[in-house]
Amino acid sequence: ELTSHEAFTDDHSPPDLTGIYNCSAVTSCQRIRTDDESVDEELSHRTCAGPNELVLKQSTHEAACTSENYLHASVFGSFLIVATYALMNIGRYFFMRGVVRIAWRHLVSGPFSFLGSCTDTGNIVYPEIVMEKGYTMRKAIKEAVRKRIRAWERWGIIILISGLLINAPWIWGIHFLSKNLDYQS
């Protein structure tokens, strides 16, 4: 069984007659078939069988497999690049949002501002907690801020972990491909 690589010499010259059909041999074959009397005695016993079918089939199969592999690798590689880029940026966005929510105390430069509500006549609209439980406005604000900060930080942890987990698909994909992807012709 002859492979397409064996049909070529090491210096990449055209294939010889033992491998792939050599076009330079056509004229001698045609001369033999014309029954020309001037043909050498040495050439007269040769016949032109045409291209080596086995080598052509193997070469065609190898070329098709290589082309298909290149096409799949190009398409899948491009998809993987775009998906990795998108997932890294989405993961970075969520990760940083989570860090800001968790570390907000280090980022706040001063006291909180309070925004209250009032009627069109200027009377303050008190929250239910002040009206029903008898809290002072100061205590009601402190309680509301404390609850909101706890919820803010809790969501920060969830967002931070989500930002890390968003990167898992592309990391797993690259790891999986590095272990399982091999080219076979």
Side-chain angles (χ1 to χ4, degrees), residues 14-26:
D16 61 8
L17 287 174
T18 60
I20 298 176
Y21 190 66
N22 187 346
C23 293
S24 64
V26 172

Side-chain angles (χ1 to χ4, degrees), residues 8 17 28 31 42 61 81 87 90 103 115 125 135 138 142 145 149-150 162 168 182-183:
F8 292 92
L17 287 174
S28 65
R31 277 191 297 152
E42 180 182 324
H61 179 73
I81 288 169
L87 288 172
I90 292 168
L115 179 64
V125 177
Y135 282 23
R138 180 183 183 102
K142 188 175 181 179
V145 168
I149 287 174
R150 266 192 291 167
S162 298
D182 60 334
Y183 171 72

